[in-house]
Amino acid sequence: MADEEQQRQGAPPPSGGEQPSEEELRAQLEEEIRRVRVEDVVLQSAVSILNLSARRIAIDEERDLEQAKLGNDAASALVDLVKGDAQPQLRQAISELQLLYAKHSGEGGGDEQSGGEQGGGEPGEGKPETPSRPEGPGLWTPGGSG
């Protein structure tokens, strides 16, 4: 009985070497999908977009300011759809990314991909976590964990 409860909660089967059947895996996945809320996916999407945009600015080999601006604009469009405490954190990250974008688009090196747009986007747009680390951006997550 305990084994069935563990499987319903998504826990791996007890150590016996038995792998869950395809049907059991499908049922577990269905249960997980049933619990996912759209607003959670919106938040995770915004965070993922900001992290990728930060990479497109901060890592020289990956620099693509046009992509970074697109990502910043996309995250800005999503921020009002995010509820709760994460919204101010997203706005802060967007703001930091905007500053980082402006700094790199004015350098002259690597701005050929920016389409000549300097600072583009709306005021208050930014970047996740620490924008000036030379090894590139870290992953930002709501609540500062990650």
Side-chain angles (χ1 to χ4, degrees):
M1 214 40 98
D3 293 345
E4 291 175 17
E5 182 63 25
Q6 286 178 332
Q7 287 180 342
R8 269 189 268 131
Q9 294 178 356
S15 62
E18 293 181 38
Q19 294 292 327
S21 70
E22 187 174 326
E23 186 175 310
E24 291 169 328
L25 289 173
R26 189 173 293 129
Q28 288 175 3
L29 182 58
E30 280 295 321
E31 181 57 31
E32 289 177 28
I33 290 172
R34 205 176 345 265
R35 288 181 279 183
V36 171
R37 299 179 49 84
V38 171
E39 59 232 16
D40 296 334
V41 175
V42 170
L43 174 59
Q44 287 304 315
S45 296
V47 169
S48 296
I49 289 168
L50 287 171
N51 283 318
L52 182 58
S53 297
R55 285 185 66 94
R56 294 302 177 256
I57 296 172
I59 299 176
D60 291 339
E61 301 81 37
E62 297 180 20
R63 183 154 305 140
D64 185 336
L65 297 179
E66 186 176 307
Q67 286 289 295
K69 182 182 181 321
L70 176 63
N72 204 3
D73 292 345
S76 294
L78 293 174
V79 75
D80 288 333
L81 302 175
V82 172
K83 300 205 182 344
D85 296 339
Q87 197 175 67
Q89 294 173 349
L90 279 177
R91 289 187 193 285
Q92 178 64 33
I94 290 167
S95 179
E96 291 173 15
L97 185 60
Q98 179 66 25
L99 292 173
L100 186 65
Y101 174 89
K103 174 186 170 192
H104 284 277
S105 66
E107 283 182 350
D111 66 342
E112 65 279 353
Q113 296 177 8
S114 72
E117 298 177 28
Q118 187 169 12
E122 298 181 14
E125 295 183 28
K127 178 247 170 243
E129 211 178 40
T130 51
S132 59
R133 284 198 328 219
E135 70 272 10
L139 292 180
W140 177 85
T141 58
S145 62

Short mmCIF file of all heavy atoms in Angstrom, two decimals, residues 65-129:
data_model
loop_
_atom_site.label_atom_id
_atom_site.label_comp_id
_atom_site.label_asym_id
_atom_site.label_seq_id
_atom_site.Cartn_x
_atom_site.Cartn_y
_atom_site.Cartn_z
N LEU A 65 23.18 41.38 -29.29
CA LEU A 65 22.38 42.42 -28.65
C LEU A 65 20.96 42.50 -29.20
O LEU A 65 20.04 42.88 -28.47
CB LEU A 65 23.09 43.77 -28.75
CG LEU A 65 24.44 43.84 -28.03
CD1 LEU A 65 25.08 45.20 -28.22
CD2 LEU A 65 24.29 43.51 -26.55
N GLU A 66 20.77 42.12 -30.43
CA GLU A 66 19.43 42.10 -30.99
C GLU A 66 18.57 41.06 -30.26
O GLU A 66 17.42 41.32 -29.90
CB GLU A 66 19.50 41.78 -32.49
CG GLU A 66 18.17 41.88 -33.20
CD GLU A 66 18.32 41.65 -34.68
OE1 GLU A 66 19.14 42.34 -35.31
OE2 GLU A 66 17.60 40.79 -35.21
N GLN A 67 19.15 39.89 -30.03
CA GLN A 67 18.44 38.85 -29.28
C GLN A 67 18.19 39.29 -27.84
O GLN A 67 17.14 39.03 -27.27
CB GLN A 67 19.24 37.54 -29.29
CG GLN A 67 19.19 36.81 -30.61
CD GLN A 67 17.81 36.21 -30.82
OE1 GLN A 67 17.39 35.33 -30.08
NE2 GLN A 67 17.10 36.70 -31.84
N ALA A 68 19.17 39.96 -27.24
CA ALA A 68 19.03 40.43 -25.87
C ALA A 68 17.88 41.43 -25.76
O ALA A 68 17.09 41.38 -24.82
CB ALA A 68 20.33 41.05 -25.38
N LYS A 69 17.79 42.34 -26.72
CA LYS A 69 16.71 43.33 -26.70
C LYS A 69 15.36 42.66 -26.88
O LYS A 69 14.39 42.99 -26.17
CB LYS A 69 16.92 44.37 -27.80
CG LYS A 69 15.83 45.44 -27.77
CD LYS A 69 15.99 46.44 -28.87
CE LYS A 69 14.93 47.52 -28.83
NZ LYS A 69 13.59 47.12 -28.48
N LEU A 70 15.28 41.69 -27.78
CA LEU A 70 14.04 40.96 -27.97
C LEU A 70 13.62 40.25 -26.67
O LEU A 70 12.46 40.30 -26.26
CB LEU A 70 14.19 39.94 -29.10
CG LEU A 70 12.99 39.03 -29.36
CD1 LEU A 70 11.79 39.85 -29.79
CD2 LEU A 70 13.35 38.00 -30.41
N GLY A 71 14.58 39.63 -26.01
CA GLY A 71 14.30 38.96 -24.75
C GLY A 71 13.84 39.92 -23.68
O GLY A 71 12.91 39.65 -22.91
N ASN A 72 14.49 41.07 -23.61
CA ASN A 72 14.12 42.08 -22.63
C ASN A 72 12.69 42.58 -22.88
O ASN A 72 11.89 42.71 -21.96
CB ASN A 72 15.12 43.23 -22.69
CG ASN A 72 15.18 44.00 -21.41
OD1 ASN A 72 14.53 43.67 -20.43
ND2 ASN A 72 15.98 45.05 -21.41
N ASP A 73 12.37 42.82 -24.14
CA ASP A 73 11.02 43.27 -24.49
C ASP A 73 9.98 42.19 -24.15
O ASP A 73 8.89 42.49 -23.66
CB ASP A 73 10.94 43.62 -25.98
CG ASP A 73 11.75 44.86 -26.34
OD1 ASP A 73 12.15 45.62 -25.42
OD2 ASP A 73 11.99 45.08 -27.55
N ALA A 74 10.32 40.93 -24.42
CA ALA A 74 9.40 39.83 -24.12
C ALA A 74 9.15 39.71 -22.62
O ALA A 74 8.01 39.55 -22.18
CB ALA A 74 9.95 38.52 -24.67
N ALA A 75 10.22 39.79 -21.82
CA ALA A 75 10.06 39.70 -20.37
C ALA A 75 9.24 40.87 -19.86
O ALA A 75 8.40 40.71 -18.96
CB ALA A 75 11.43 39.66 -19.69
N SER A 76 9.44 42.05 -20.44
CA SER A 76 8.66 43.23 -20.04
C SER A 76 7.17 43.03 -20.33
O SER A 76 6.32 43.46 -19.55
CB SER A 76 9.15 44.47 -20.77
OG SER A 76 10.46 44.78 -20.36
N ALA A 77 6.88 42.37 -21.44
CA ALA A 77 5.49 42.11 -21.79
C ALA A 77 4.85 41.10 -20.84
O ALA A 77 3.64 41.16 -20.59
CB ALA A 77 5.41 41.60 -23.23
N LEU A 78 5.64 40.21 -20.29
CA LEU A 78 5.10 39.18 -19.40
C LEU A 78 4.98 39.62 -17.95
O LEU A 78 4.19 39.05 -17.19
CB LEU A 78 5.99 37.92 -19.45
CG LEU A 78 6.00 37.15 -20.77
CD1 LEU A 78 7.03 36.03 -20.71
CD2 LEU A 78 4.61 36.60 -21.06
N VAL A 79 5.73 40.63 -17.55
CA VAL A 79 5.82 40.97 -16.12
C VAL A 79 4.47 41.31 -15.50
O VAL A 79 4.20 40.95 -14.35
CB VAL A 79 6.87 42.07 -15.87
CG1 VAL A 79 6.38 43.43 -16.30
CG2 VAL A 79 7.30 42.09 -14.43
N ASP A 80 3.58 41.96 -16.22
CA ASP A 80 2.28 42.31 -15.66
C ASP A 80 1.37 41.09 -15.49
O ASP A 80 0.37 41.16 -14.77
CB ASP A 80 1.57 43.35 -16.53
CG ASP A 80 2.23 44.72 -16.41
OD1 ASP A 80 2.84 45.01 -15.36
OD2 ASP A 80 2.15 45.50 -17.37
N LEU A 81 1.71 40.00 -16.14
CA LEU A 81 0.91 38.78 -16.01
C LEU A 81 1.34 37.94 -14.81
O LEU A 81 0.65 37.00 -14.43
CB LEU A 81 1.04 37.94 -17.29
CG LEU A 81 0.60 38.64 -18.57
CD1 LEU A 81 0.89 37.75 -19.77
CD2 LEU A 81 -0.87 39.01 -18.51
N VAL A 82 2.48 38.28 -14.23
CA VAL A 82 3.01 37.56 -13.07
C VAL A 82 2.37 38.13 -11.82
O VAL A 82 2.24 39.33 -11.67
CB VAL A 82 4.55 37.69 -13.02
CG1 VAL A 82 5.11 37.11 -11.74
CG2 VAL A 82 5.17 37.02 -14.23
N LYS A 83 1.98 37.25 -10.92
CA LYS A 83 1.33 37.69 -9.69
C LYS A 83 2.28 37.56 -8.50
O LYS A 83 3.25 36.84 -8.53
CB LYS A 83 0.10 36.82 -9.43
CG LYS A 83 -0.92 36.90 -10.56
CD LYS A 83 -2.29 36.57 -10.06
CE LYS A 83 -3.37 36.57 -11.10
NZ LYS A 83 -3.24 37.16 -12.33
N GLY A 84 1.96 38.31 -7.46
CA GLY A 84 2.66 38.13 -6.20
C GLY A 84 4.00 38.82 -6.10
O GLY A 84 4.30 39.79 -6.80
N ASP A 85 4.82 38.27 -5.20
CA ASP A 85 6.11 38.87 -4.87
C ASP A 85 7.11 38.82 -6.02
O ASP A 85 8.09 39.57 -6.01
CB ASP A 85 6.74 38.13 -3.69
CG ASP A 85 5.91 38.28 -2.42
OD1 ASP A 85 5.12 39.24 -2.34
OD2 ASP A 85 6.04 37.43 -1.52
N ALA A 86 6.89 37.98 -6.99
CA ALA A 86 7.85 37.84 -8.08
C ALA A 86 7.83 39.05 -9.02
O ALA A 86 8.84 39.34 -9.66
CB ALA A 86 7.59 36.57 -8.88
N GLN A 87 6.73 39.78 -9.09
CA GLN A 87 6.63 40.89 -10.03
C GLN A 87 7.68 41.98 -9.77
O GLN A 87 8.38 42.38 -10.71
CB GLN A 87 5.22 41.46 -10.03
CG GLN A 87 4.95 42.32 -11.24
CD GLN A 87 3.52 42.79 -11.29
OE1 GLN A 87 3.10 43.57 -10.45
NE2 GLN A 87 2.78 42.30 -12.27
N PRO A 88 7.86 42.46 -8.54
CA PRO A 88 8.90 43.47 -8.32
C PRO A 88 10.30 42.93 -8.61
O PRO A 88 11.16 43.66 -9.10
CB PRO A 88 8.76 43.84 -6.84
CG PRO A 88 7.45 43.32 -6.39
CD PRO A 88 7.04 42.24 -7.34
N GLN A 89 10.52 41.66 -8.32
CA GLN A 89 11.83 41.07 -8.60
C GLN A 89 12.08 41.00 -10.10
O GLN A 89 13.19 41.27 -10.57
CB GLN A 89 11.93 39.68 -7.99
CG GLN A 89 11.92 39.71 -6.48
CD GLN A 89 11.86 38.32 -5.87
OE1 GLN A 89 11.63 37.34 -6.56
NE2 GLN A 89 12.07 38.26 -4.57
N LEU A 90 11.05 40.65 -10.86
CA LEU A 90 11.19 40.64 -12.32
C LEU A 90 11.47 42.04 -12.84
O LEU A 90 12.32 42.23 -13.71
CB LEU A 90 9.94 40.08 -12.99
CG LEU A 90 9.80 38.58 -13.04
CD1 LEU A 90 8.46 38.19 -13.66
CD2 LEU A 90 10.94 37.94 -13.80
N ARG A 91 10.75 43.03 -12.33
CA ARG A 91 10.98 44.42 -12.77
C ARG A 91 12.43 44.85 -12.48
O ARG A 91 13.05 45.51 -13.30
CB ARG A 91 10.00 45.36 -12.10
CG ARG A 91 8.59 45.21 -12.61
CD ARG A 91 7.67 46.29 -12.05
NE ARG A 91 6.28 45.99 -12.28
CZ ARG A 91 5.66 46.10 -13.44
NH1 ARG A 91 6.32 46.51 -14.50
NH2 ARG A 91 4.38 45.80 -13.56
N GLN A 92 12.95 44.46 -11.33
CA GLN A 92 14.34 44.78 -10.98
C GLN A 92 15.30 44.10 -11.96
O GLN A 92 16.25 44.72 -12.44
CB GLN A 92 14.65 44.36 -9.54
CG GLN A 92 16.08 44.62 -9.12
CD GLN A 92 16.43 46.11 -9.11
OE1 GLN A 92 15.58 46.95 -8.82
NE2 GLN A 92 17.66 46.43 -9.42
N ALA A 93 15.05 42.84 -12.25
CA ALA A 93 15.92 42.11 -13.18
C ALA A 93 15.86 42.73 -14.57
O ALA A 93 16.88 42.88 -15.24
CB ALA A 93 15.51 40.64 -13.23
N ILE A 94 14.67 43.13 -14.99
CA ILE A 94 14.51 43.77 -16.30
C ILE A 94 15.27 45.10 -16.32
O ILE A 94 15.95 45.42 -17.30
CB ILE A 94 13.01 43.96 -16.62
CG1 ILE A 94 12.38 42.59 -16.89
CG2 ILE A 94 12.81 44.91 -17.80
CD1 ILE A 94 10.85 42.62 -16.92
N SER A 95 15.20 45.84 -15.24
CA SER A 95 15.91 47.11 -15.14
C SER A 95 17.43 46.91 -15.24
O SER A 95 18.12 47.64 -15.96
CB SER A 95 15.54 47.79 -13.82
OG SER A 95 16.22 49.00 -13.69
N GLU A 96 17.93 45.91 -14.53
CA GLU A 96 19.37 45.64 -14.56
C GLU A 96 19.81 45.17 -15.95
O GLU A 96 20.89 45.55 -16.42
CB GLU A 96 19.72 44.59 -13.51
CG GLU A 96 19.57 45.11 -12.10
CD GLU A 96 19.75 44.04 -11.04
OE1 GLU A 96 20.26 42.95 -11.37
OE2 GLU A 96 19.37 44.29 -9.89
N LEU A 97 18.98 44.40 -16.62
CA LEU A 97 19.32 43.94 -17.96
C LEU A 97 19.34 45.12 -18.94
O LEU A 97 20.19 45.20 -19.82
CB LEU A 97 18.33 42.88 -18.44
CG LEU A 97 18.65 42.23 -19.79
CD1 LEU A 97 20.00 41.53 -19.75
CD2 LEU A 97 17.56 41.25 -20.17
N GLN A 98 18.41 46.06 -18.75
CA GLN A 98 18.38 47.26 -19.60
C GLN A 98 19.68 48.05 -19.45
O GLN A 98 20.26 48.50 -20.44
CB GLN A 98 17.18 48.14 -19.23
CG GLN A 98 17.09 49.40 -20.05
CD GLN A 98 16.81 49.14 -21.50
OE1 GLN A 98 16.24 48.11 -21.83
NE2 GLN A 98 17.20 50.05 -22.36
N LEU A 99 20.15 48.19 -18.23
CA LEU A 99 21.41 48.91 -18.00
C LEU A 99 22.59 48.19 -18.64
O LEU A 99 23.45 48.81 -19.26
CB LEU A 99 21.65 49.08 -16.50
CG LEU A 99 20.70 50.03 -15.78
CD1 LEU A 99 20.94 49.98 -14.27
CD2 LEU A 99 20.87 51.45 -16.30
N LEU A 100 22.63 46.88 -18.50
CA LEU A 100 23.70 46.09 -19.09
C LEU A 100 23.66 46.20 -20.62
O LEU A 100 24.69 46.35 -21.27
CB LEU A 100 23.59 44.63 -18.65
CG LEU A 100 24.72 43.71 -19.07
CD1 LEU A 100 26.04 44.13 -18.42
CD2 LEU A 100 24.39 42.27 -18.69
N TYR A 101 22.45 46.14 -21.18
CA TYR A 101 22.28 46.28 -22.62
C TYR A 101 22.83 47.64 -23.09
O TYR A 101 23.58 47.72 -24.05
CB TYR A 101 20.81 46.13 -23.00
CG TYR A 101 20.54 46.40 -24.46
CD1 TYR A 101 20.61 45.37 -25.39
CD2 TYR A 101 20.25 47.68 -24.92
CE1 TYR A 101 20.38 45.61 -26.73
CE2 TYR A 101 20.02 47.93 -26.25
CZ TYR A 101 20.08 46.90 -27.15
OH TYR A 101 19.87 47.13 -28.48
N ALA A 102 22.44 48.70 -22.38
CA ALA A 102 22.87 50.05 -22.76
C ALA A 102 24.39 50.17 -22.70
O ALA A 102 25.01 50.76 -23.58
CB ALA A 102 22.22 51.09 -21.85
N LYS A 103 24.98 49.58 -21.67
CA LYS A 103 26.43 49.62 -21.53
C LYS A 103 27.12 48.94 -22.72
O LYS A 103 28.03 49.49 -23.32
CB LYS A 103 26.84 48.93 -20.23
CG LYS A 103 28.34 48.80 -20.06
CD LYS A 103 28.66 47.96 -18.83
CE LYS A 103 30.14 47.63 -18.83
NZ LYS A 103 30.47 46.61 -17.85
N HIS A 104 26.65 47.76 -23.07
CA HIS A 104 27.31 47.01 -24.15
C HIS A 104 26.95 47.52 -25.54
O HIS A 104 27.76 47.40 -26.46
CB HIS A 104 27.00 45.52 -24.02
CG HIS A 104 27.78 44.86 -22.94
ND1 HIS A 104 29.06 44.42 -23.10
CD2 HIS A 104 27.46 44.61 -21.65
CE1 HIS A 104 29.50 43.91 -21.96
NE2 HIS A 104 28.55 44.02 -21.06
N SER A 105 25.79 48.09 -25.72
CA SER A 105 25.43 48.59 -27.05
C SER A 105 26.20 49.86 -27.37
O SER A 105 26.38 50.19 -28.54
CB SER A 105 23.93 48.83 -27.15
OG SER A 105 23.52 49.87 -26.30
N GLY A 106 26.72 50.54 -26.36
CA GLY A 106 27.49 51.76 -26.58
C GLY A 106 28.99 51.52 -26.67
O GLY A 106 29.74 52.45 -26.91
N GLU A 107 29.43 50.29 -26.49
CA GLU A 107 30.87 49.98 -26.49
C GLU A 107 31.51 50.06 -27.87
O GLU A 107 32.68 50.28 -27.99
CB GLU A 107 31.12 48.57 -25.95
CG GLU A 107 31.02 48.48 -24.46
CD GLU A 107 31.31 47.08 -23.96
OE1 GLU A 107 31.40 46.15 -24.79
OE2 GLU A 107 31.44 46.93 -22.75
N GLY A 108 30.72 49.77 -28.90
CA GLY A 108 31.30 49.74 -30.24
C GLY A 108 31.73 48.35 -30.64
O GLY A 108 31.70 48.01 -31.80
N GLY A 109 32.13 47.51 -29.70
CA GLY A 109 32.50 46.14 -30.01
C GLY A 109 31.32 45.23 -29.77
O GLY A 109 30.77 45.16 -28.70
N GLY A 110 30.87 44.54 -30.83
CA GLY A 110 29.77 43.62 -30.69
C GLY A 110 28.41 44.25 -30.91
O GLY A 110 27.42 43.57 -30.90
N ASP A 111 28.36 45.58 -31.16
CA ASP A 111 27.05 46.18 -31.32
C ASP A 111 26.56 46.11 -32.76
O ASP A 111 25.49 46.59 -33.06
CB ASP A 111 27.04 47.63 -30.82
CG ASP A 111 27.89 48.57 -31.61
OD1 ASP A 111 28.77 48.09 -32.35
OD2 ASP A 111 27.71 49.78 -31.49
N GLU A 112 27.32 45.45 -33.63
CA GLU A 112 26.86 45.30 -35.00
C GLU A 112 25.61 44.44 -35.07
O GLU A 112 24.85 44.53 -36.01
CB GLU A 112 27.96 44.68 -35.88
CG GLU A 112 28.35 43.24 -35.52
CD GLU A 112 29.34 43.15 -34.36
OE1 GLU A 112 29.83 44.18 -33.91
OE2 GLU A 112 29.60 42.02 -33.93
N GLN A 113 25.36 43.64 -34.04
CA GLN A 113 24.18 42.80 -34.03
C GLN A 113 23.00 43.51 -33.38
O GLN A 113 21.90 42.99 -33.37
CB GLN A 113 24.47 41.51 -33.26
CG GLN A 113 25.51 40.66 -33.93
CD GLN A 113 25.84 39.42 -33.11
OE1 GLN A 113 25.20 39.13 -32.12
NE2 GLN A 113 26.84 38.69 -33.54
N SER A 114 23.19 44.69 -32.83
CA SER A 114 22.12 45.36 -32.11
C SER A 114 21.19 46.13 -33.04
O SER A 114 20.20 46.67 -32.60
CB SER A 114 22.70 46.32 -31.08
OG SER A 114 23.26 47.45 -31.72
N GLY A 115 21.51 46.19 -34.32
CA GLY A 115 20.67 46.93 -35.24
C GLY A 115 20.75 48.42 -35.04
O GLY A 115 19.87 49.15 -35.43
N GLY A 116 21.79 48.90 -34.35
CA GLY A 116 21.98 50.31 -34.13
C GLY A 116 21.10 50.87 -33.04
O GLY A 116 21.11 52.04 -32.78
N GLU A 117 20.30 50.04 -32.39
CA GLU A 117 19.43 50.52 -31.34
C GLU A 117 20.21 50.57 -30.05
O GLU A 117 20.80 49.61 -29.64
CB GLU A 117 18.23 49.59 -31.17
CG GLU A 117 17.38 49.52 -32.42
CD GLU A 117 16.25 48.53 -32.25
OE1 GLU A 117 15.80 48.31 -31.12
OE2 GLU A 117 15.84 47.97 -33.26
N GLN A 118 20.18 51.72 -29.41
CA GLN A 118 20.89 51.84 -28.15
C GLN A 118 19.88 51.99 -27.03
O GLN A 118 19.07 52.89 -27.04
CB GLN A 118 21.81 53.06 -28.17
CG GLN A 118 22.68 53.11 -26.93
CD GLN A 118 23.77 54.14 -27.09
OE1 GLN A 118 23.74 54.95 -28.00
NE2 GLN A 118 24.72 54.12 -26.20
N GLY A 119 19.95 51.06 -26.07
CA GLY A 119 19.10 51.13 -24.92
C GLY A 119 17.68 50.68 -25.14
O GLY A 119 16.95 50.52 -24.21
N GLY A 120 17.25 50.41 -26.35
CA GLY A 120 15.90 50.05 -26.72
C GLY A 120 15.02 49.55 -25.60
O GLY A 120 15.44 49.30 -24.52
N GLY A 121 13.75 49.43 -25.88
CA GLY A 121 12.83 48.92 -24.89
C GLY A 121 12.29 50.04 -24.02
O GLY A 121 12.54 51.21 -24.23
N GLU A 122 11.55 49.66 -23.00
CA GLU A 122 10.91 50.62 -22.12
C GLU A 122 11.77 50.89 -20.91
O GLU A 122 12.59 50.07 -20.53
CB GLU A 122 9.56 50.06 -21.68
CG GLU A 122 8.64 49.85 -22.86
CD GLU A 122 7.29 49.31 -22.42
OE1 GLU A 122 6.99 49.36 -21.21
OE2 GLU A 122 6.56 48.85 -23.28
N PRO A 123 11.55 52.03 -20.26
CA PRO A 123 12.29 52.31 -19.03
C PRO A 123 11.99 51.25 -17.99
O PRO A 123 10.91 50.71 -17.94
CB PRO A 123 11.73 53.67 -18.58
CG PRO A 123 11.04 54.25 -19.75
CD PRO A 123 10.66 53.10 -20.64
N GLY A 124 13.00 50.95 -17.18
CA GLY A 124 12.80 49.97 -16.13
C GLY A 124 13.06 48.54 -16.56
O GLY A 124 12.72 47.61 -15.88
N GLU A 125 13.62 48.35 -17.75
CA GLU A 125 13.94 46.99 -18.18
C GLU A 125 15.31 46.61 -17.67
O GLU A 125 16.18 47.45 -17.52
CB GLU A 125 13.89 46.91 -19.70
CG GLU A 125 12.48 47.14 -20.23
CD GLU A 125 12.39 47.00 -21.72
OE1 GLU A 125 13.19 46.25 -22.29
OE2 GLU A 125 11.54 47.64 -22.32
N GLY A 126 15.55 45.29 -17.40
CA GLY A 126 16.82 44.91 -16.80
C GLY A 126 17.25 43.48 -16.99
O GLY A 126 16.76 42.79 -17.83
N LYS A 127 18.15 43.00 -16.11
CA LYS A 127 18.84 41.74 -16.24
C LYS A 127 18.85 40.98 -14.94
O LYS A 127 18.85 41.57 -13.89
CB LYS A 127 20.27 42.07 -16.68
CG LYS A 127 21.16 40.89 -16.82
CD LYS A 127 22.22 40.93 -15.79
CE LYS A 127 23.03 39.72 -15.66
NZ LYS A 127 22.95 39.06 -14.43
N PRO A 128 18.85 39.67 -15.02
CA PRO A 128 18.89 38.88 -13.80
C PRO A 128 20.25 38.85 -13.14
O PRO A 128 21.27 38.89 -13.79
CB PRO A 128 18.51 37.47 -14.28
CG PRO A 128 18.70 37.48 -15.73
CD PRO A 128 18.64 38.90 -16.19
N GLU A 129 20.24 38.79 -11.85
CA GLU A 129 21.40 38.61 -10.98
C GLU A 129 22.49 39.62 -11.25
O GLU A 129 22.22 40.78 -11.56
CB GLU A 129 21.92 37.17 -11.09
CG GLU A 129 22.53 36.73 -9.77
CD GLU A 129 23.00 35.32 -9.81
OE1 GLU A 129 23.54 34.90 -10.81
OE2 GLU A 129 22.82 34.63 -8.81
#
